[in-house]
């Protein structure tokens, strides 16, 4: 049984930062203390480094199966591990869409052979697969995903009867993409009438507007309240939507929760002039006021989780005109260092970053023995150096697509080591791929 001793680290965990050693035995954290004397196969002197629980990303698109010219589970999990993300939950809008239990299991089989990170996959909902959705095992699958807005293939859920069925019958967590399709179509028609096919990218947040987001999000909240559903609304992008959420309950008592994504905490509509379609996401990056309100909601616990919505496309695809350029971009490698950059600016504490990217996803999804630095928990951990500047460029981007919206950005912090279920998967820029990640299990 492999053993690892991490000495002299600054542990960031459960609202505190304190110096300690951590002894890992097999897959688990065996002991946490000061001046540990255990003999280990590998010893890491972490003096000057910060030890965090491995990040849990509750929203990624790794493109496999069917879209492997953009990415694969193997390539994107590798980029995630290099970024300190040790567990991910992947979305069902692959090709074919993950709308049956058999197709869901196919993805688990791919990940078991290929993923360096721990993994789970959402079961997809459509207008006509409720019976399949209800077969999903809540102990082994993270949740059900409903696209209440434009999406890939047969995954737009806009049938009123279907929505009532989902929210009334599905007992496990329902994660939603909320943008009202009718509003988006009307806005699209209006902009096409004005610009033809040459709509400027700066119009993206006007087409996929705050109104479109709020109309859909408020509908999801109404349905969840009506049926007592466990609802998690993904990638909040507007200030107005924040009135739908509260911070009056502990997270484990909340039935309605929300997620913010890195790009909505970093970019604004002022960045379209420079970044163009590279920052085209759905929902759209919106105003400075929206960004600042979302950030404050993270600090105030109205928003519960920070994730990436990592969704890579090839650079050739992204360089298309507005209507032809797909939405989404790669973020898993740079999510943690981006948040640490905001910490360097005095905007957020290390403890709050860990809460929103490690603890809260574990609590919200009821993940078994992950998300914390605790004895007896899986040894998912990341060491970071807060004083090791580096610049994002072509030579160090690990996502298969080979580009990043953060290209040319200098970050002050660097991930030095990542442990996944007790295995030292990444250390000083090198990967040990002899052991793959584990399938996440849920205490439900």
């Amino acid at each position: 049984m492999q053993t690892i001793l991490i000495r002299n680290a600054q542990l960031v965990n459960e609202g505190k930062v304190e110096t300690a050693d951590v002894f890992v035995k097999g897959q688990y954290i065996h002991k946490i203390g000061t001046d540990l004397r255990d003999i280990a196969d590998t010893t890491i002197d972490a003096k000057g480094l910060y030890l965090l629980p491995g990040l849990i990303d509750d929203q990624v698109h790794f493109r496999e199966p069917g879209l492997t010219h953009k990415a694969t589970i193997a390539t994107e999990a590798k980029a995630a591990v290099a970024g300190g993300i040790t567990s991910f939950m992947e979305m069902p809008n692959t090709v074919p869409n993950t709308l049956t239990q058999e197709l869901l299991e196919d993805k688990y089989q791919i990940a078991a052979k290929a993923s360096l990170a721990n993994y789970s996959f959402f079961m997809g909902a459509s207008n006509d697969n409720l019976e399949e959705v209800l077969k999903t095992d809540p102990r082994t699958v993270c949740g059900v995903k409903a696209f209440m807005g434009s999406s890939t293939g047969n995954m737009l859920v806009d049938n009123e009867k279907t929505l009532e069925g989902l929210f009334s019958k599905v007992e496990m967590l329902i994660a939603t993409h909320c943008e009202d399709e009718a509003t988006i179509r009307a806005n699209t028609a209006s902009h096409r009438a004005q610009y033809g096919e040459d709509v400027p990218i700066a119009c993206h947040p006007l087409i996929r507007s705050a109104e479109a987001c709020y109309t859909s999000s408020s509908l999801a909240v109404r349905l969840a309240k009506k049926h007592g559903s466990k609802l998690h609304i993904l990638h909040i992008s507007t200030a107005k939507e924040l009135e739908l959420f509260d911070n009056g309950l502990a997270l484990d008592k909340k039935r309605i929760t929300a997620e913010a994504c890195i790009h909505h905490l970093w970019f604004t509509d002022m960045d379209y002039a420079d970044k163009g379609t590279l920052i085209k996401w759905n929902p759209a990056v919106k105003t400075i006021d929206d960004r600042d309100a979302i950030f404050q909601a993270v600090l105030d616990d109205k928003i519960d989780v920070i994730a990436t919505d990592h969704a890579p496309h090839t650079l050739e695809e992204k360089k298309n005109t507005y209507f032809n350029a797909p939405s989404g971009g790669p973020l898993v490698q740079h999510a943690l260092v981006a948040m640490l950059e905001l910490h360097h600016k005095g905007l957020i504490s290390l403890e709050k970053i860990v809460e929103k990217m490690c603890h809260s996803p574990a609590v919200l999804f009821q993940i078994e023995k992950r998300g914390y630095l605790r004895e007896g928990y899986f040894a998912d951990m990341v060491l970071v150096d807060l004083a090791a500047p580096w610049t994002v460029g072509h030579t160090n981007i690990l996502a298969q697509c080979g580009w990043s919206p953060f290209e040319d950005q200098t970050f002050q912090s660097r991930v030095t080591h990542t442990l996944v279920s007790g295995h030292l998967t990444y250390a000083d820029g090198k990967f040990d791929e002899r052991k793959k990640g584990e399938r996440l299990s849920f205490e439900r």
Side-chain angles (χ1 to χ4, degrees), residues 15 54 77 161 184 190 199 233 257 296 321 327 361 382 387:
K161 183 178 179 181
I184 293 169
S190 174
V199 172
I233 299 185
T257 53
Q296 189 61 48
T321 57
S327 293
V382 54

Side-chain angles (χ1 to χ4, degrees), residues 32-281:
I32 299 174
T34 56
D35 197 25
L36 297 184
R37 302 290 183 174
D38 301 77
I39 303 300
D41 300 318
T42 302
T43 299
I44 300 170
D45 184 359
K47 187 174 183 179
L49 304 180
Y50 288 78
L51 183 66
L52 284 56
L55 275 63
I56 302 170
D57 193 342
D58 77 352
Q59 187 188 184
V60 302
H61 302 261
F62 282 178
R63 305 303 190 195
E64 190 174 8
L67 298 167
T68 52
H69 68 286
K70 302 174 189 279
T72 67
I73 289 172
T75 59
E76 308 314 284
K78 194 171 184 178
V81 165
I85 294 169
T86 56
S87 300
F88 65 82
M89 302 177 205
E90 208 263 356
M91 292 295 158
N93 56 332
T94 44
V95 179
N97 299 155
T98 314
L99 296 174
T100 69
Q101 295 298 318
E102 289 76 18
L103 290 170
L104 179 62
E105 187 57 32
D106 286 346
K107 294 174 77 169
Y108 279 106
Q109 294 302 317
I110 294 169
K113 297 175 182 177
S115 178
L116 290 182
N118 306 312
Y119 50 88
S120 191
F121 297 91
F122 281 89
M123 177 63 184
S126 72
N127 278 329
D128 52 17
N129 78 329
L130 181 57
E131 288 188 9
E132 277 294 301
V133 168
L134 294 175
K135 296 176 185 176
T136 308
D137 184 353
R139 295 165 297 179
T140 61
V141 176
C142 53
V144 173
K145 173 66 180 289
F147 287 87
M148 296 172 66
S150 296
S151 65
T152 300
N154 183 36
M155 296 202 69
L156 171 60
V157 184
D158 59 354
N159 181 286
E160 184 177 338
K161 183 178 179 181
T162 300
L163 287 169
E164 287 284 349
L166 276 172
F167 280 86
S168 64
K169 295 180 181 180
V170 174
E171 295 183 0
M172 62 193 300
L173 180 145
I174 302 170
T176 57
H177 176 135
C178 287
E179 291 182 287
D180 181 63
E181 183 68 10
T183 303
I184 293 169
R185 287 176 180 171
N187 291 340
T188 299
S190 174
H191 281 78
R192 267 204 167 103
Q194 181 176 357
Y195 294 103
E197 293 301 306
D198 297 320
V199 172
I201 181 61
C203 294
H204 188 51
L206 305 177
I207 292 173
R208 303 189 81 97
S209 62
E211 178 191 3
C213 294
Y214 183 81
T215 298
S216 184
S217 294
S218 58
L219 171 60
V221 169
R222 285 198 302 273
L223 287 166
K225 288 182 175 179
K226 176 180 178 181
H227 297 291
S229 315
K230 189 170 178 60
L231 170 66
H232 184 49
I233 299 185
L234 304 170
H235 42 43
I236 296 298
S237 65
T238 75
K240 184 170 177 56
E241 289 171 284
L242 299 173
E243 70 185 49
L244 300 170
F245 311 104
D246 66 60
N247 54 5
L249 294 173
L251 180 55
D252 62 350
K253 303 297 183 184
K254 287 187 180 183
R255 299 295 293 174
I256 297 171
T257 53
E259 170 207 89
C261 287
I262 298 297
H263 46 289
H264 293 128
L265 296 172
W266 186 283
F267 299 105
T268 75
D269 57 1
M270 302 296 290
D271 294 306
Y272 286 116
D274 177 45
K275 297 289 186 179
T277 56
L278 295 184
I279 61 166
K280 184 186 179 189
W281 277 282

Side-chain angles (χ1 to χ4, degrees), residues 7-11 17-21 33-34:
R7 303 192 66 227
N8 305 311
Q10 294 294 307
L11 272 61
V17 180
E18 55 188 0
T19 304
D21 303 339
T34 56

Side-chain angles (χ1 to χ4, degrees), residues 382-428:
V382 54
L383 276 168
V384 295
D385 188 339
L386 296 186
W390 64 290
T391 302
V392 179
H394 284 297
T395 60
N396 55 33
I397 293 172
L398 294 173
Q400 180 178 298
C401 64
W403 64 273
S404 168
F406 286 116
E407 196 159 340
D408 298 324
Q409 171 72 42
T410 296
F411 290 116
Q412 302 305 308
S413 306
R414 182 190 300 267
V415 173
T416 63
H417 301 74
T418 306
L419 281 79
V420 180
S421 297
H423 176 62
L424 186 56
T425 305
Y426 178 78
D428 297 320

